[in-house]
Amino acid sequence: MIDSAAFLIGSYGAMAAGLSMTIAKVSPTIGPKMRHLFSGAAPLAAVLATRLGGADSVVLQGMDLFAAGGLVVLGVVTSSAVGKVVPTADAKDRKLLSR
């Protein structure tokens, strides 16, 4: 997919951790399972967009799909680890006041 596997793994983990922290602080009403799933899978769109690289179409081989699944698992695990360190903001404090 991308030439440097170490760079790909590191950047994917960083994207998943950043998304998890942002969701935990900005949107506390999203539950932890949905947050971990979204944070683990959303960076895959950026990875596949770089794979597309301006071409009209791209054929993904079996190893590309296998690596993509591994990246999603890495993202979910990273998001779960970040969720243990960064607490979720209290939903009561984030509610808009009615007039």
Side-chain angles (χ1 to χ4, degrees):
M1 288 175 70
I2 295 180
D3 294 336
S4 174
F7 175 74
L8 177 63
I9 291 169
S11 62
Y12 196 91
M15 287 188 284
L19 276 172
S20 181
M21 286 189 300
T22 303
I23 293 171
K25 293 298 180 183
V26 174
S27 183
T29 56
I30 295 176
K33 289 181 184 178
M34 184 62 78
R35 180 179 78 197
H36 299 321
L37 181 64
F38 176 74
S39 298
L44 188 62
V47 172
L48 293 178
T50 59
R51 177 77 167 111
L52 189 61
D56 291 335
S57 66
V58 173
V59 175
L60 295 174
Q61 303 295 332
M63 285 308 292
D64 290 334
L65 298 174
F66 183 70
L71 287 174
V72 169
V73 169
L74 171 74
V76 170
V77 169
T78 302
S79 179
S80 298
V82 167
K84 298 205 182 297
V85 176
V86 177
T88 303
D90 192 14
K92 297 174 194 169
D93 298 336
R94 295 288 199 172
K95 286 187 178 178
L96 295 174
L97 299 174
S98 61
R99 294 183 184 195

